[in-house]
Amino acid sequence: MKKFESHGIGFLSTLILSLILLGVLISWFQTASLKLYIGTIPWFFDQAAAFVSFLVYLIAAWILLKKLNKQVKEA
């Protein structure tokens, strides 16, 4: 964000990196939970909670980057 002075580019790089890490997390979780409860309701709730947490993270990142970008431009 500081290099290009745009919160959109900062958010895009955060989004790409977080999507990669979310994919790694989901693939790890599927292998870790394979023996316990694959295909059951708790597995579905765990996956849904991960996606909801991811969306909250993205919203918070967007708001924070927008606020920081505004402060940098004012200074």
Side-chain angles (χ1 to χ4, degrees):
M1 182 185 85
K2 288 182 180 181
K3 184 175 182 178
F4 294 107
E5 296 179 0
S6 170
H7 67 279
I9 293 175
F11 179 74
L12 185 62
S13 63
T14 302
L15 177 67
I16 291 170
L17 182 61
S18 61
L19 282 173
I20 292 169
L21 292 175
L22 181 66
V24 169
L25 176 69
I26 288 174
S27 68
W28 170 81
F29 185 74
Q30 285 178 346
T31 58
S33 67
L34 184 61
K35 295 179 182 177
L36 293 177
Y37 48 75
I38 192 78
T40 61
I41 295 297
W43 178 84
F44 176 73
F45 286 149
D46 288 342
Q47 297 296 320
F51 282 112
V52 169
S53 300
F54 179 67
L55 291 176
V56 169
Y57 166 74
L58 288 179
I59 291 168
W62 174 262
I63 292 170
L64 182 66
L65 288 173
K66 194 171 183 180
K67 184 179 278 192
L68 287 174
N69 191 38
K70 186 183 287 188
Q71 289 177 355
V72 168
K73 285 186 178 182
E74 289 176 359

PDB file of all heavy atoms in Angstrom, residues 43-73:
ATOM      1  N   TRP A  43     -18.023 -31.200  10.698  1.00  0.00           N
ATOM      2  CA  TRP A  43     -17.067 -30.848   9.649  1.00  0.00           C
ATOM      3  C   TRP A  43     -17.593 -29.678   8.826  1.00  0.00           C
ATOM      4  O   TRP A  43     -16.866 -28.737   8.528  1.00  0.00           O
ATOM      5  CB  TRP A  43     -16.822 -32.063   8.755  1.00  0.00           C
ATOM      6  CG  TRP A  43     -15.888 -31.772   7.632  1.00  0.00           C
ATOM      7  CD1 TRP A  43     -14.533 -31.783   7.663  1.00  0.00           C
ATOM      8  CD2 TRP A  43     -16.260 -31.410   6.296  1.00  0.00           C
ATOM      9  NE1 TRP A  43     -14.026 -31.443   6.441  1.00  0.00           N
ATOM     10  CE2 TRP A  43     -15.058 -31.214   5.575  1.00  0.00           C
ATOM     11  CE3 TRP A  43     -17.463 -31.229   5.650  1.00  0.00           C
ATOM     12  CZ2 TRP A  43     -15.058 -30.844   4.250  1.00  0.00           C
ATOM     13  CZ3 TRP A  43     -17.457 -30.860   4.321  1.00  0.00           C
ATOM     14  CH2 TRP A  43     -16.258 -30.679   3.640  1.00  0.00           C
ATOM     15  N   PHE A  44     -18.872 -29.719   8.493  1.00  0.00           N
ATOM     16  CA  PHE A  44     -19.478 -28.639   7.722  1.00  0.00           C
ATOM     17  C   PHE A  44     -19.454 -27.333   8.514  1.00  0.00           C
ATOM     18  O   PHE A  44     -19.149 -26.272   7.974  1.00  0.00           O
ATOM     19  CB  PHE A  44     -20.916 -28.997   7.341  1.00  0.00           C
ATOM     20  CG  PHE A  44     -21.637 -27.892   6.630  1.00  0.00           C
ATOM     21  CD1 PHE A  44     -21.328 -27.586   5.323  1.00  0.00           C
ATOM     22  CD2 PHE A  44     -22.591 -27.139   7.292  1.00  0.00           C
ATOM     23  CE1 PHE A  44     -21.977 -26.550   4.667  1.00  0.00           C
ATOM     24  CE2 PHE A  44     -23.241 -26.107   6.661  1.00  0.00           C
ATOM     25  CZ  PHE A  44     -22.941 -25.817   5.339  1.00  0.00           C
ATOM     26  N   PHE A  45     -19.783 -27.395   9.802  1.00  0.00           N
ATOM     27  CA  PHE A  45     -19.757 -26.190  10.628  1.00  0.00           C
ATOM     28  C   PHE A  45     -18.342 -25.616  10.746  1.00  0.00           C
ATOM     29  O   PHE A  45     -18.166 -24.398  10.741  1.00  0.00           O
ATOM     30  CB  PHE A  45     -20.317 -26.469  12.013  1.00  0.00           C
ATOM     31  CG  PHE A  45     -21.817 -26.614  12.043  1.00  0.00           C
ATOM     32  CD1 PHE A  45     -22.403 -27.450  12.963  1.00  0.00           C
ATOM     33  CD2 PHE A  45     -22.629 -25.933  11.163  1.00  0.00           C
ATOM     34  CE1 PHE A  45     -23.787 -27.593  13.004  1.00  0.00           C
ATOM     35  CE2 PHE A  45     -24.001 -26.066  11.184  1.00  0.00           C
ATOM     36  CZ  PHE A  45     -24.585 -26.900  12.116  1.00  0.00           C
ATOM     37  N   ASP A  46     -17.360 -26.476  10.840  1.00  0.00           N
ATOM     38  CA  ASP A  46     -15.973 -26.004  10.906  1.00  0.00           C
ATOM     39  C   ASP A  46     -15.575 -25.289   9.615  1.00  0.00           C
ATOM     40  O   ASP A  46     -14.925 -24.238   9.644  1.00  0.00           O
ATOM     41  CB  ASP A  46     -15.016 -27.158  11.177  1.00  0.00           C
ATOM     42  CG  ASP A  46     -15.116 -27.665  12.597  1.00  0.00           C
ATOM     43  OD1 ASP A  46     -15.656 -26.945  13.451  1.00  0.00           O
ATOM     44  OD2 ASP A  46     -14.658 -28.798  12.847  1.00  0.00           O
ATOM     45  N   GLN A  47     -15.958 -25.861   8.482  1.00  0.00           N
ATOM     46  CA  GLN A  47     -15.652 -25.222   7.194  1.00  0.00           C
ATOM     47  C   GLN A  47     -16.383 -23.892   7.065  1.00  0.00           C
ATOM     48  O   GLN A  47     -15.818 -22.899   6.602  1.00  0.00           O
ATOM     49  CB  GLN A  47     -16.026 -26.144   6.036  1.00  0.00           C
ATOM     50  CG  GLN A  47     -15.249 -27.435   5.994  1.00  0.00           C
ATOM     51  CD  GLN A  47     -13.772 -27.214   5.757  1.00  0.00           C
ATOM     52  OE1 GLN A  47     -13.380 -26.376   4.961  1.00  0.00           O
ATOM     53  NE2 GLN A  47     -12.961 -27.971   6.449  1.00  0.00           N
ATOM     54  N   ALA A  48     -17.660 -23.855   7.459  1.00  0.00           N
ATOM     55  CA  ALA A  48     -18.439 -22.619   7.387  1.00  0.00           C
ATOM     56  C   ALA A  48     -17.851 -21.553   8.309  1.00  0.00           C
ATOM     57  O   ALA A  48     -17.785 -20.366   7.938  1.00  0.00           O
ATOM     58  CB  ALA A  48     -19.897 -22.897   7.745  1.00  0.00           C
ATOM     59  N   ALA A  49     -17.423 -21.949   9.499  1.00  0.00           N
ATOM     60  CA  ALA A  49     -16.813 -20.994  10.429  1.00  0.00           C
ATOM     61  C   ALA A  49     -15.524 -20.422   9.851  1.00  0.00           C
ATOM     62  O   ALA A  49     -15.222 -19.233  10.042  1.00  0.00           O
ATOM     63  CB  ALA A  49     -16.547 -21.662  11.766  1.00  0.00           C
ATOM     64  N   ALA A  50     -14.757 -21.242   9.148  1.00  0.00           N
ATOM     65  CA  ALA A  50     -13.521 -20.755   8.528  1.00  0.00           C
ATOM     66  C   ALA A  50     -13.832 -19.712   7.459  1.00  0.00           C
ATOM     67  O   ALA A  50     -13.154 -18.677   7.378  1.00  0.00           O
ATOM     68  CB  ALA A  50     -12.748 -21.919   7.923  1.00  0.00           C
ATOM     69  N   PHE A  51     -14.851 -19.932   6.653  1.00  0.00           N
ATOM     70  CA  PHE A  51     -15.210 -18.968   5.611  1.00  0.00           C
ATOM     71  C   PHE A  51     -15.789 -17.680   6.201  1.00  0.00           C
ATOM     72  O   PHE A  51     -15.489 -16.588   5.721  1.00  0.00           O
ATOM     73  CB  PHE A  51     -16.194 -19.577   4.610  1.00  0.00           C
ATOM     74  CG  PHE A  51     -15.529 -20.476   3.622  1.00  0.00           C
ATOM     75  CD1 PHE A  51     -15.781 -21.838   3.642  1.00  0.00           C
ATOM     76  CD2 PHE A  51     -14.647 -19.988   2.672  1.00  0.00           C
ATOM     77  CE1 PHE A  51     -15.163 -22.683   2.740  1.00  0.00           C
ATOM     78  CE2 PHE A  51     -14.025 -20.819   1.766  1.00  0.00           C
ATOM     79  CZ  PHE A  51     -14.282 -22.166   1.798  1.00  0.00           C
ATOM     80  N   VAL A  52     -16.600 -17.793   7.247  1.00  0.00           N
ATOM     81  CA  VAL A  52     -17.145 -16.595   7.888  1.00  0.00           C
ATOM     82  C   VAL A  52     -16.015 -15.785   8.522  1.00  0.00           C
ATOM     83  O   VAL A  52     -15.968 -14.557   8.383  1.00  0.00           O
ATOM     84  CB  VAL A  52     -18.222 -16.976   8.925  1.00  0.00           C
ATOM     85  CG1 VAL A  52     -18.599 -15.787   9.790  1.00  0.00           C
ATOM     86  CG2 VAL A  52     -19.449 -17.540   8.230  1.00  0.00           C
ATOM     87  N   SER A  53     -15.096 -16.444   9.183  1.00  0.00           N
ATOM     88  CA  SER A  53     -13.940 -15.759   9.766  1.00  0.00           C
ATOM     89  C   SER A  53     -13.105 -15.091   8.681  1.00  0.00           C
ATOM     90  O   SER A  53     -12.596 -13.982   8.868  1.00  0.00           O
ATOM     91  CB  SER A  53     -13.065 -16.738  10.549  1.00  0.00           C
ATOM     92  OG  SER A  53     -13.788 -17.318  11.586  1.00  0.00           O
ATOM     93  N   PHE A  54     -12.969 -15.752   7.548  1.00  0.00           N
ATOM     94  CA  PHE A  54     -12.217 -15.199   6.428  1.00  0.00           C
ATOM     95  C   PHE A  54     -12.889 -13.927   5.910  1.00  0.00           C
ATOM     96  O   PHE A  54     -12.214 -12.929   5.634  1.00  0.00           O
ATOM     97  CB  PHE A  54     -12.107 -16.246   5.317  1.00  0.00           C
ATOM     98  CG  PHE A  54     -11.366 -15.782   4.112  1.00  0.00           C
ATOM     99  CD1 PHE A  54     -10.010 -15.518   4.176  1.00  0.00           C
ATOM    100  CD2 PHE A  54     -12.009 -15.612   2.904  1.00  0.00           C
ATOM    101  CE1 PHE A  54      -9.317 -15.092   3.064  1.00  0.00           C
ATOM    102  CE2 PHE A  54     -11.328 -15.196   1.798  1.00  0.00           C
ATOM    103  CZ  PHE A  54      -9.975 -14.929   1.870  1.00  0.00           C
ATOM    104  N   LEU A  55     -14.211 -13.935   5.795  1.00  0.00           N
ATOM    105  CA  LEU A  55     -14.925 -12.751   5.322  1.00  0.00           C
ATOM    106  C   LEU A  55     -14.798 -11.598   6.317  1.00  0.00           C
ATOM    107  O   LEU A  55     -14.613 -10.445   5.910  1.00  0.00           O
ATOM    108  CB  LEU A  55     -16.392 -13.084   5.072  1.00  0.00           C
ATOM    109  CG  LEU A  55     -16.658 -14.005   3.890  1.00  0.00           C
ATOM    110  CD1 LEU A  55     -18.136 -14.329   3.802  1.00  0.00           C
ATOM    111  CD2 LEU A  55     -16.171 -13.389   2.601  1.00  0.00           C
ATOM    112  N   VAL A  56     -14.870 -11.890   7.606  1.00  0.00           N
ATOM    113  CA  VAL A  56     -14.689 -10.852   8.626  1.00  0.00           C
ATOM    114  C   VAL A  56     -13.279 -10.272   8.540  1.00  0.00           C
ATOM    115  O   VAL A  56     -13.079  -9.056   8.632  1.00  0.00           O
ATOM    116  CB  VAL A  56     -14.982 -11.413  10.034  1.00  0.00           C
ATOM    117  CG1 VAL A  56     -14.556 -10.451  11.122  1.00  0.00           C
ATOM    118  CG2 VAL A  56     -16.457 -11.760  10.169  1.00  0.00           C
ATOM    119  N   TYR A  57     -12.296 -11.133   8.331  1.00  0.00           N
ATOM    120  CA  TYR A  57     -10.911 -10.692   8.177  1.00  0.00           C
ATOM    121  C   TYR A  57     -10.772  -9.760   6.969  1.00  0.00           C
ATOM    122  O   TYR A  57     -10.118  -8.714   7.046  1.00  0.00           O
ATOM    123  CB  TYR A  57      -9.996 -11.905   8.031  1.00  0.00           C
ATOM    124  CG  TYR A  57      -8.624 -11.580   7.530  1.00  0.00           C
ATOM    125  CD1 TYR A  57      -7.699 -10.962   8.350  1.00  0.00           C
ATOM    126  CD2 TYR A  57      -8.259 -11.874   6.218  1.00  0.00           C
ATOM    127  CE1 TYR A  57      -6.432 -10.651   7.884  1.00  0.00           C
ATOM    128  CE2 TYR A  57      -7.000 -11.564   5.749  1.00  0.00           C
ATOM    129  CZ  TYR A  57      -6.092 -10.952   6.578  1.00  0.00           C
ATOM    130  OH  TYR A  57      -4.852 -10.641   6.107  1.00  0.00           O
ATOM    131  N   LEU A  58     -11.386 -10.123   5.842  1.00  0.00           N
ATOM    132  CA  LEU A  58     -11.283  -9.290   4.648  1.00  0.00           C
ATOM    133  C   LEU A  58     -11.949  -7.933   4.846  1.00  0.00           C
ATOM    134  O   LEU A  58     -11.417  -6.906   4.409  1.00  0.00           O
ATOM    135  CB  LEU A  58     -11.900 -10.011   3.448  1.00  0.00           C
ATOM    136  CG  LEU A  58     -11.118 -11.189   2.903  1.00  0.00           C
ATOM    137  CD1 LEU A  58     -11.858 -11.812   1.729  1.00  0.00           C
ATOM    138  CD2 LEU A  58      -9.720 -10.779   2.484  1.00  0.00           C
ATOM    139  N   ILE A  59     -13.081  -7.909   5.509  1.00  0.00           N
ATOM    140  CA  ILE A  59     -13.763  -6.636   5.765  1.00  0.00           C
ATOM    141  C   ILE A  59     -12.908  -5.759   6.678  1.00  0.00           C
ATOM    142  O   ILE A  59     -12.751  -4.554   6.430  1.00  0.00           O
ATOM    143  CB  ILE A  59     -15.161  -6.883   6.358  1.00  0.00           C
ATOM    144  CG1 ILE A  59     -16.074  -7.511   5.300  1.00  0.00           C
ATOM    145  CG2 ILE A  59     -15.776  -5.598   6.891  1.00  0.00           C
ATOM    146  CD1 ILE A  59     -17.374  -8.054   5.843  1.00  0.00           C
ATOM    147  N   ALA A  60     -12.350  -6.347   7.715  1.00  0.00           N
ATOM    148  CA  ALA A  60     -11.492  -5.588   8.626  1.00  0.00           C
ATOM    149  C   ALA A  60     -10.240  -5.083   7.910  1.00  0.00           C
ATOM    150  O   ALA A  60      -9.807  -3.948   8.131  1.00  0.00           O
ATOM    151  CB  ALA A  60     -11.111  -6.450   9.824  1.00  0.00           C
ATOM    152  N   ALA A  61      -9.666  -5.906   7.047  1.00  0.00           N
ATOM    153  CA  ALA A  61      -8.477  -5.485   6.294  1.00  0.00           C
ATOM    154  C   ALA A  61      -8.805  -4.326   5.365  1.00  0.00           C
ATOM    155  O   ALA A  61      -8.022  -3.369   5.258  1.00  0.00           O
ATOM    156  CB  ALA A  61      -7.912  -6.665   5.505  1.00  0.00           C
ATOM    157  N   TRP A  62      -9.949  -4.376   4.703  1.00  0.00           N
ATOM    158  CA  TRP A  62     -10.357  -3.298   3.794  1.00  0.00           C
ATOM    159  C   TRP A  62     -10.516  -1.986   4.567  1.00  0.00           C
ATOM    160  O   TRP A  62     -10.005  -0.943   4.160  1.00  0.00           O
ATOM    161  CB  TRP A  62     -11.655  -3.659   3.084  1.00  0.00           C
ATOM    162  CG  TRP A  62     -12.188  -2.542   2.256  1.00  0.00           C
ATOM    163  CD1 TRP A  62     -13.156  -1.662   2.594  1.00  0.00           C
ATOM    164  CD2 TRP A  62     -11.740  -2.163   0.949  1.00  0.00           C
ATOM    165  NE1 TRP A  62     -13.350  -0.767   1.581  1.00  0.00           N
ATOM    166  CE2 TRP A  62     -12.507  -1.045   0.561  1.00  0.00           C
ATOM    167  CE3 TRP A  62     -10.780  -2.656   0.080  1.00  0.00           C
ATOM    168  CZ2 TRP A  62     -12.335  -0.424  -0.669  1.00  0.00           C
ATOM    169  CZ3 TRP A  62     -10.618  -2.032  -1.147  1.00  0.00           C
ATOM    170  CH2 TRP A  62     -11.379  -0.941  -1.506  1.00  0.00           C
ATOM    171  N   ILE A  63     -11.215  -2.041   5.697  1.00  0.00           N
ATOM    172  CA  ILE A  63     -11.449  -0.834   6.490  1.00  0.00           C
ATOM    173  C   ILE A  63     -10.129  -0.275   7.025  1.00  0.00           C
ATOM    174  O   ILE A  63      -9.880   0.936   6.957  1.00  0.00           O
ATOM    175  CB  ILE A  63     -12.436  -1.132   7.634  1.00  0.00           C
ATOM    176  CG1 ILE A  63     -13.825  -1.416   7.056  1.00  0.00           C
ATOM    177  CG2 ILE A  63     -12.492   0.017   8.631  1.00  0.00           C
ATOM    178  CD1 ILE A  63     -14.817  -1.959   8.058  1.00  0.00           C
ATOM    179  N   LEU A  64      -9.284  -1.143   7.545  1.00  0.00           N
ATOM    180  CA  LEU A  64      -8.003  -0.704   8.086  1.00  0.00           C
ATOM    181  C   LEU A  64      -7.108  -0.103   7.007  1.00  0.00           C
ATOM    182  O   LEU A  64      -6.516   0.967   7.208  1.00  0.00           O
ATOM    183  CB  LEU A  64      -7.287  -1.873   8.760  1.00  0.00           C
ATOM    184  CG  LEU A  64      -5.948  -1.550   9.410  1.00  0.00           C
ATOM    185  CD1 LEU A  64      -6.155  -0.619  10.593  1.00  0.00           C
ATOM    186  CD2 LEU A  64      -5.262  -2.814   9.842  1.00  0.00           C
ATOM    187  N   LEU A  65      -7.013  -0.749   5.850  1.00  0.00           N
ATOM    188  CA  LEU A  65      -6.167  -0.219   4.784  1.00  0.00           C
ATOM    189  C   LEU A  65      -6.701   1.102   4.250  1.00  0.00           C
ATOM    190  O   LEU A  65      -5.933   2.011   3.920  1.00  0.00           O
ATOM    191  CB  LEU A  65      -6.041  -1.238   3.653  1.00  0.00           C
ATOM    192  CG  LEU A  65      -5.176  -2.452   3.967  1.00  0.00           C
ATOM    193  CD1 LEU A  65      -5.259  -3.457   2.844  1.00  0.00           C
ATOM    194  CD2 LEU A  65      -3.743  -2.041   4.202  1.00  0.00           C
ATOM    195  N   LYS A  66      -8.008   1.233   4.170  1.00  0.00           N
ATOM    196  CA  LYS A  66      -8.593   2.483   3.698  1.00  0.00           C
ATOM    197  C   LYS A  66      -8.298   3.614   4.680  1.00  0.00           C
ATOM    198  O   LYS A  66      -7.950   4.723   4.279  1.00  0.00           O
ATOM    199  CB  LYS A  66     -10.100   2.303   3.533  1.00  0.00           C
ATOM    200  CG  LYS A  66     -10.757   3.390   2.759  1.00  0.00           C
ATOM    201  CD  LYS A  66     -12.196   3.025   2.462  1.00  0.00           C
ATOM    202  CE  LYS A  66     -12.833   4.093   1.611  1.00  0.00           C
ATOM    203  NZ  LYS A  66     -14.216   3.789   1.294  1.00  0.00           N
ATOM    204  N   LYS A  67      -8.412   3.323   5.977  1.00  0.00           N
ATOM    205  CA  LYS A  67      -8.136   4.335   6.999  1.00  0.00           C
ATOM    206  C   LYS A  67      -6.654   4.712   7.002  1.00  0.00           C
ATOM    207  O   LYS A  67      -6.305   5.893   7.092  1.00  0.00           O
ATOM    208  CB  LYS A  67      -8.541   3.818   8.369  1.00  0.00           C
ATOM    209  CG  LYS A  67      -8.383   4.833   9.479  1.00  0.00           C
ATOM    210  CD  LYS A  67      -8.813   4.269  10.811  1.00  0.00           C
ATOM    211  CE  LYS A  67     -10.314   4.376  10.898  1.00  0.00           C
ATOM    212  NZ  LYS A  67     -10.807   4.116  12.266  1.00  0.00           N
ATOM    213  N   LEU A  68      -5.777   3.720   6.903  1.00  0.00           N
ATOM    214  CA  LEU A  68      -4.342   4.006   6.874  1.00  0.00           C
ATOM    215  C   LEU A  68      -3.952   4.802   5.635  1.00  0.00           C
ATOM    216  O   LEU A  68      -3.113   5.697   5.697  1.00  0.00           O
ATOM    217  CB  LEU A  68      -3.543   2.713   6.934  1.00  0.00           C
ATOM    218  CG  LEU A  68      -3.526   1.996   8.285  1.00  0.00           C
ATOM    219  CD1 LEU A  68      -2.820   0.654   8.151  1.00  0.00           C
ATOM    220  CD2 LEU A  68      -2.858   2.847   9.331  1.00  0.00           C
ATOM    221  N   ASN A  69      -4.560   4.479   4.507  1.00  0.00           N
ATOM    222  CA  ASN A  69      -4.253   5.205   3.273  1.00  0.00           C
ATOM    223  C   ASN A  69      -4.695   6.660   3.387  1.00  0.00           C
ATOM    224  O   ASN A  69      -3.998   7.564   2.928  1.00  0.00           O
ATOM    225  CB  ASN A  69      -4.930   4.533   2.076  1.00  0.00           C
ATOM    226  CG  ASN A  69      -4.425   5.092   0.765  1.00  0.00           C
ATOM    227  OD1 ASN A  69      -3.261   5.382   0.617  1.00  0.00           O
ATOM    228  ND2 ASN A  69      -5.324   5.229  -0.184  1.00  0.00           N
ATOM    229  N   LYS A  70      -5.830   6.896   4.009  1.00  0.00           N
ATOM    230  CA  LYS A  70      -6.305   8.268   4.199  1.00  0.00           C
ATOM    231  C   LYS A  70      -5.351   9.049   5.099  1.00  0.00           C
ATOM    232  O   LYS A  70      -5.052  10.212   4.837  1.00  0.00           O
ATOM    233  CB  LYS A  70      -7.712   8.260   4.801  1.00  0.00           C
ATOM    234  CG  LYS A  70      -8.331   9.629   4.890  1.00  0.00           C
ATOM    235  CD  LYS A  70      -9.689   9.591   5.550  1.00  0.00           C
ATOM    236  CE  LYS A  70     -10.702   8.978   4.608  1.00  0.00           C
ATOM    237  NZ  LYS A  70     -12.082   9.079   5.137  1.00  0.00           N
ATOM    238  N   GLN A  71      -4.849   8.404   6.155  1.00  0.00           N
ATOM    239  CA  GLN A  71      -3.916   9.062   7.074  1.00  0.00           C
ATOM    240  C   GLN A  71      -2.590   9.375   6.393  1.00  0.00           C
ATOM    241  O   GLN A  71      -1.990  10.412   6.624  1.00  0.00           O
ATOM    242  CB  GLN A  71      -3.674   8.210   8.305  1.00  0.00           C
ATOM    243  CG  GLN A  71      -4.846   8.139   9.230  1.00  0.00           C
ATOM    244  CD  GLN A  71      -4.592   7.219  10.406  1.00  0.00           C
ATOM    245  OE1 GLN A  71      -3.580   6.561  10.491  1.00  0.00           O
ATOM    246  NE2 GLN A  71      -5.558   7.153  11.320  1.00  0.00           N
ATOM    247  N   VAL A  72      -2.135   8.466   5.525  1.00  0.00           N
ATOM    248  CA  VAL A  72      -0.866   8.688   4.808  1.00  0.00           C
ATOM    249  C   VAL A  72      -1.016   9.851   3.838  1.00  0.00           C
ATOM    250  O   VAL A  72      -0.117  10.681   3.703  1.00  0.00           O
ATOM    251  CB  VAL A  72      -0.424   7.396   4.091  1.00  0.00           C
ATOM    252  CG1 VAL A  72       0.703   7.672   3.115  1.00  0.00           C
ATOM    253  CG2 VAL A  72      -0.019   6.351   5.091  1.00  0.00           C
ATOM    254  N   LYS A  73      -2.152   9.935   3.159  1.00  0.00           N
ATOM    255  CA  LYS A  73      -2.346  11.031   2.201  1.00  0.00           C
ATOM    256  C   LYS A  73      -2.487  12.378   2.886  1.00  0.00           C
ATOM    257  O   LYS A  73      -2.093  13.396   2.345  1.00  0.00           O
ATOM    258  CB  LYS A  73      -3.588  10.732   1.339  1.00  0.00           C
ATOM    259  CG  LYS A  73      -3.333   9.684   0.299  1.00  0.00           C
ATOM    260  CD  LYS A  73      -4.512   9.535  -0.613  1.00  0.00           C
ATOM    261  CE  LYS A  73      -4.205   8.503  -1.683  1.00  0.00           C
ATOM    262  NZ  LYS A  73      -5.298   8.335  -2.628  1.00  0.00           N
TER     263      LYS A  73
END
